[in-house]
Amino acid sequence: MLSDSNIYDIIIVGGGHAGSEAACASSKMGSKTLLITTNFHTIGQLSCNPALGGIAKGQIIREIDALGGFSAIITDYSTIQFRMLNKSKGPAMWSPRAQCDRKLYSNFWRFFLDKRKKLDLYQDTVTSLIIKNYKVHGVITTLGVKIKAHSVILTNGTFLNGKIHIGRKKFDGGRIAEKKVKGITEQLVNIFGLKFGRMKTGTSPRVDGRSLDYHKMKPQEGDIDPKKFSFFYKTKKLKKQIKCYIAYTNHVVHDLIRNNIMYSPIFSNSIKGSSPRYCPSIEEKIYRFSDKKEHPIFLEPEGWNTNEVYVNGFSTSFPERIQYHTLKNVDGFKNVKILKPGYAIEYDYFPPNQLQPTLESKFIENLFFAGQINGTTGYEEAAAQGLIAGINAHMKINNKSSLILKRNQAYIGVLIDDLITKGTTEPYRMFTSRAEYRMLLRQDNADERLTHIGYSIGLISKKNMKLVDKKICLIDKCLSFFKKENIDPKIINPILYKKSSPVIFNKKKIETILSRSDIELKDIITIPFIMKKIKNNRFTQEILEQVSIRIKYKGYIDREEKNAKKLLKLENIVLPHNFDYKNMESLSLEAREKLNYHRPFTLAQASRISGVTPSDLTILLIHIGHG
């Protein structure tokens, strides 16, 4: 496998979520791929909390599935509890989330990787890259093995010069009990001039569930009718689910943390890396939100056959004894037994504004970056980047058009555009608020938005493409029925009266009635002639819900589609890469500096750079002949 004559198309460094998705994508598309990881037993590991999805993150997992990735499928196979979050809000905010069996999740990743015929696995650590004339040609491992490749994808996670902190204890590592990786940062920075930074993330203690008193906590049940993440793979219905629980901190816990704050490496300045703003440690929560009397703690079981419980919301780098005493004072934790202490970890990352929209380096050809190495946090963000990097690495070496998702096409498009345009100085996390077209980018329509793209590049089968085409056809047919069919006042008025909705005196279209905010889908579909039509045409609940969303939120959807078309015009105006911004005196000084630094690829991307004004955009249009 490792002979000099054997050159891989693509080598992927790191077997986490980004690396696993990249490996599956590139090998499935036909590239001879090698995935190198330090430990086969930690492939696809849920290093932090044992859950996938959540606000905006659930949308990303469904988008990965629609494009032909595997995170959704593997989540479905390992789910122990499923919840659709934000159901009380509009459909743009609905976000699926699944608690997973940690071991099953990792095992299934290994299973799917082993099934890829064009994918080889190799256990070793990459310490440097083979780069000639600013073009990557392979990697060198700790054992001194040189492996050649046409392209390399770095998905090192938290392992580049990783340093773990537990109180005043510091030791090297990419994860607890796993070695750091040294050499790659030094080579890319000192020899090739790339910029790098340090970031910090953390994890919570794991405790023995048998030592907790759940009667003093609030149970958190799964959905009565649990859904799935994957649009295509039909796993068995989740008949049994494991409960999660919610506990709360109190003034005693807060006082203990305040009195011992000097023992936290975050507050003693032992940690220099930037912390995640939206997932702070318990120390940072108490310090930053001093007015809060309590903070929720989520007890998340780690699997079907283990007593291990993850204490989500209690990320900490305190010494073990302080972790124990603070937890002990939470209601229900009096007899707590800690199985693994929480810890903080610092690691190297490379600011992502050094990347092209394909996630290829601007400075080293055929070298791609994906995951936490780009400054993101979260399994979902990493997996999405890995998928796109794997696709584009294959496209690049085969001289095919790259896949660049737009902001109105996918949360993945928003994620990558934010990273390469704005960069990040703190761990980036996706939220629905980051997407200006979130009504278009719902979790329920990811297949309609993206499956044709996955099919066109060879990641989606013809069978699955037909399923999506059939779904779209049925939605159109059902929508047409609701728009054209009249409903008699005698039939609908009793329902309207019961719902305290104004009655009608003339026949109205079903669409008109359903568009009312106080009328629900179930109020309409129970009417006999409508029920008959639904049954005859085999309109499933999924189809009916899609139609209901389109009718009820038509105004919002139309407005976002109109705005997206305006944006598309700017996206199609390409800016020359060698544009001389410095000498364009008609531009503001700030705009010249920012444009010269970021080197935007399109006028739309330029418009999203802080400091570039509308008048600057007009000047650019004139200079490139569009004014």
Side-chain angles (χ1 to χ4, degrees), residues 204-235:
S204 299
R206 275 79 165 177
V207 302
D208 188 333
R210 295 170 299 181
S211 68
L212 303 178
D213 184 355
Y214 291 116
H215 294 100
K216 294 184 177 180
M217 305 177 197
K218 179 183 176 183
Q220 196 172 42
E221 306 273 3
D223 289 350
I224 295 173
D225 182 24
K227 307 297 183 186
K228 300 288 184 181
F229 269 99
S230 180
F231 291 102
F232 310 115
Y233 280 72
K234 302 303 178 186
T235 54

Side-chain angles (χ1 to χ4, degrees), residues 311-559:
V311 188
N312 197 348
F314 208 88
S315 172
T316 181
S317 54
F318 268 136
E320 300 96 310
R321 292 300 298 172
I322 296 176
Q323 291 186 36
Y324 171 71
H325 284 297
T326 50
L327 273 178
K328 188 177 175 66
N329 282 281
V330 175
D331 280 350
F333 281 74
K334 183 180 180 180
N335 300 309
V336 66
K337 293 180 181 178
I338 294 179
L339 300 176
K340 300 174 189 175
Y343 62 89
I345 180 168
E346 278 186 290
Y347 55 95
D348 295 340
Y349 85 103
F350 290 85
N353 48 19
Q354 301 175 100
L355 301 176
Q356 300 180 44
T358 59
L359 296 181
E360 182 184 9
S361 169
K362 289 180 179 179
F363 309 107
I364 301 172
E365 190 177 357
N366 290 349
L367 178 62
F368 292 76
F369 293 71
Q372 283 180 283
I373 195 171
N374 288 338
T376 60
T377 180
Y379 312 134
E380 302 82 2
E381 291 88 343
Q385 293 171 72
L387 176 66
I388 298 301
I391 291 169
N392 283 325
H394 170 85
M395 294 300 201
K396 176 71 187 294
I397 63 177
N398 287 283
N399 297 314
K400 294 182 179 180
S401 298
S402 303
L403 175 60
I404 300 172
L405 296 173
K406 297 180 176 63
R407 295 181 73 89
N408 65 309
Q409 283 183 297
Y411 272 92
I412 298 173
V414 175
L415 166 68
I416 294 174
D417 183 68
D418 276 356
L419 293 174
I420 66 165
T421 302
K422 303 171 184 176
T424 186
T425 55
E426 61 184 41
Y428 178 103
R429 180 181 181 179
M430 179 54 70
F431 290 102
T432 51
S433 58
R434 295 191 190 273
E436 54 272 66
Y437 304 109
R438 55 184 174 271
M439 196 64 219
L440 301 180
L441 309 182
R442 305 185 309 276
Q443 55 84 29
D444 58 87
N445 70 350
D447 55 341
E448 298 170 60
R449 290 185 276 117
L450 300 172
T451 302
H452 67 283
I453 296 174
Y455 177 67
S456 69
I457 61 177
L459 286 180
I460 292 289
S461 68
K462 191 173 184 179
K463 177 185 174 183
N464 287 340
M465 187 68 248
K466 284 183 177 179
L467 288 175
V468 177
D469 287 338
K470 183 180 178 182
K471 174 184 172 181
I472 293 170
C473 183
L474 285 171
I475 289 170
D476 290 341
K477 190 175 182 180
C478 185
L479 193 58
S480 177
F481 167 63
F482 277 38
K483 283 182 176 181
K484 292 179 180 178
E485 195 71 29
N486 284 310
I487 191 164
D488 195 279
K490 292 180 181 178
I491 296 173
I492 194 63
N493 276 345
I495 295 172
L496 298 179
Y497 180 78
K498 188 177 180 180
K499 302 284 289 188
S500 300
S501 188
V503 297
I504 61 173
F505 300 97
N506 299 304
K507 289 182 178 181
K508 297 284 184 183
K509 305 293 184 188
I510 298 173
E511 177 192 36
T512 304
I513 300 298
L514 185 56
S515 65
R516 295 185 180 188
S517 60
D518 49 6
I519 299 300
E520 299 177 61
L521 177 64
K522 63 183 180 181
D523 299 321
I524 297 293
I525 61 176
T526 53
I527 295 170
F529 85 94
I530 296 176
M531 190 185 295
K532 184 178 180 182
K533 187 78 172 181
I534 289 169
K535 187 176 180 180
N536 289 342
N537 286 279
R538 297 181 180 177
F539 296 146
T540 63
Q541 187 64 26
E542 180 189 18
I543 299 300
L544 293 168
E545 287 175 357
Q546 288 290 307
V547 170
S548 178
I549 289 169
R550 283 161 171 75
I551 290 173
K552 285 188 170 295
Y553 297 90
K554 185 177 185 302
Y556 296 100
I557 293 170
D558 288 348
R559 184 168 67 241

